[in-house]
Amino acid sequence: MNPSEHITLARYLSEKPLPDALRGVLESIAGACVSIAILIGKGGLAGVLGEAGRENVQGEAQKKLDVLSNDIMLAANAWGGRVAAMASEEMDWPRPVAPRGDYLLLFDPLDGSSNIDVNVSVGTIFSVLPAPRDADWSSDAAAEKAFLQPGTRQVAAGYAIYGPSTLLALTVGDGVAIFTLDRETDTFVLTRDRVRIPEETREFAINLSNQRHWDAPVRRYVAELLQGETGPRAKDFNMRWVASMVADVHRILTRGGIFLYPVDARNREKGGRLRLMYEANPMAMLIEQAGGAATTGYECILEVMPQRLHQRVSVILGARCEVDAAIACHG
Ligand code: AHG
Ligand code: MN
Ligand code: MN
């Protein structure tokens, strides 16, 4: 990509055959990500690090930046009449906004927030679904029902990663584009288009300290990787684990590999660790749009029919041939 071409996010979206309302939603999300990037960049100077002193619906301690990022995403998408309702990791129930809006927006406002106090990359993950025409917003339970659509219905998905550069990875169902935040103009500029996950993989990402809790198929798969050149895979693998899904997935989009957060004995009752609707589904759409694959081990993540807004799921995603090797161990 030649940066001198200077294709901004707005121009990129204007060249896609998308409804104006969807363009507007994506530009609002990008604007919120710029605000979050600025806040994260200030860090200790703005007094935004550390705990908020509250728990979210999942029983996890909220960081101040979890709450602030959530508020920024809500504020950026609350007007314009395009978003019917929003749902987030940090809110128990969906927040209805504009009953006649065309879209539902789901997000993890700050992913990898355990990394924030040690100055390691974090991100924002988002998913856009169509709003059902007959949606009922009169109660929390009815509003939740409107959101319970499989990932195959997503019309757009992406993440912002707040790292050495702030990047925005986006798909509208027509490949994956990556934009870099130009801090002088506060705009996202296209720096990679039609991203393809490299096929040749020698890198895997999993929290190995959970090994004793894993099920047999994941143990078998990782054991084969660890045997390296002398094992069945006949090559040495390298391991990376940032513990921010955005950073681990971004590495895979950039240089290949596989990411696993499988259901295990500790999280089985919850269904896994990562959330289906605002972590697994948007990442699965991006990965598939870049030529990769995303599975629970037994079915495509995008085909899982959600039963609950905050449902968790087993996640295996990355280069297609490597994901196929992991699926084979589940056979
Ligand atoms: P969040 O900060 O939104 O709760 O998500 C953190 C997730 C994900 O980003 C990462 O892959 C995983 O949790 C890290 O888990 P470990 O603490 O087991 O490494
Ligand atoms: Mn997360
Ligand atoms: Mn989060």
Side-chain angles (χ1 to χ4, degrees):
M1 201 85 236
N2 178 0
S4 65
E5 284 174 51
H6 209 82
I7 299 172
T8 61
L9 175 68
R11 181 167 151 208
Y12 174 87
L13 293 173
S14 75
E15 288 169 3
K16 297 275 174 199
L18 299 174
D20 281 344
L22 181 55
R23 278 193 205 110
V25 172
L26 296 172
E27 288 190 42
S28 296
I29 294 169
C33 293
V34 174
S35 302
I36 296 170
I38 292 170
L39 200 57
I40 288 174
K42 288 185 181 159
L45 293 175
V48 293
L49 303 181
E51 308 294 326
R54 284 182 265 160
E55 280 188 355
N56 65 16
V57 62
Q58 349 243 352
E60 297 159 341
Q62 287 177 312
K63 301 274 184 186
K64 285 184 198 164
L65 272 167
D66 285 322
V67 177
L68 291 167
S69 306
N70 194 61
D71 289 348
I72 289 171
M73 284 290 279
L74 288 175
N77 293 284
W79 56 279
R82 301 176 285 245
V83 173
M86 288 182 260
S88 143
E89 181 188 344
E90 306 302 339
M91 303 191 300
D92 301 12
W93 298 102
R95 171 89 46 106
V97 185
R100 273 193 264 281
D102 288 329
Y103 299 103
L104 303 179
L105 172 60
L106 293 113
F107 50 87
D108 175 353
L110 200 65
D111 174 69
S113 54
S114 70
N115 279 324
I116 193 73
D117 294 340
V118 291
N119 202 29
V120 167
S121 296
V122 292
T124 299
I125 310 173
F126 59 89
S127 162
V128 185
L129 288 167
R133 281 287 129 244
D134 57 350
D136 170 6
W137 305 110
S138 61
S139 70
D140 289 339
E144 178 179 37
K145 226 171 122 203
F147 279 84
L148 302 182
Q149 307 178 41
T152 46
R153 304 215 52 197
Q154 292 173 108
V155 294
Y159 61 78
I161 177 168
Y162 313 110
S165 306
T166 288
L167 307 180
L168 181 76
L170 175 69
T171 180
V172 291
D174 177 26
V176 175
I178 296 181
F179 303 83
T180 301
L181 179 62
D182 179 342
R183 290 182 188 274
E184 280 164 29
T185 57
D186 281 349
T187 53
F188 281 107
V189 178
L190 186 67
T191 40
R192 285 183 69 200
D193 201 1
R194 307 243 154 250
V195 175
R196 302 300 293 174
I197 298 176
E199 277 301 323
E200 178 51 24
T201 296
R202 282 169 185 269
E203 233 163 35
F204 69 101
I206 191 166
N207 185 341
L208 207 59
S209 66
N210 294 330
Q211 190 164 24
R212 68 191 183 284
H213 305 296
W214 297 341
D215 290 341
V218 174
R219 278 175 196 245
R220 200 176 313 135
Y221 172 66
V222 174
E224 287 184 3
L225 303 184
L226 292 174
Q227 287 172 61
E229 233 174 33
T230 54
R233 301 298 305 277
K235 59 180 177 181
D236 288 338
F237 281 79
N238 188 24
M239 198 197 86
R240 286 284 183 272
W241 183 251
V242 181
S244 284
M245 190 192 199
V246 279
D248 287 308
V249 169
H250 188 70
R251 186 184 57 254
I252 288 167
L253 275 181
T254 309
R255 64 180 195 201
I258 186 167
F259 169 94
L260 304 95
Y261 213 122
V263 66
D264 68 29
R266 283 178 325 167
N267 61 34
R268 191 176 320 283
E269 268 180 28
K270 292 179 172 170
R273 166 82 160 87
L274 297 174
R275 277 59 55 118
L276 172 63
M277 298 207 66
Y278 41 82
E279 290 179 320
N281 272 341
M283 292 310 203
M285 184 177 181
L286 284 164
I287 289 286
E288 289 202 0
Q289 285 290 319
T295 176
T296 64
Y298 300 100
E299 65 178 316
C300 287
I301 285 176
L302 292 177
E303 286 169 9
V304 174
M305 186 60 214
Q307 308 296 318
R308 280 167 297 111
L309 181 62
H310 296 290
Q311 182 167 331
R312 299 181 189 243
V313 70
S314 201
V315 175
I316 301 174
L317 54 78
R320 185 169 290 277
C321 54
E322 205 50 51
V323 171
D324 284 345
I327 292 171
C329 290
H330 286 72

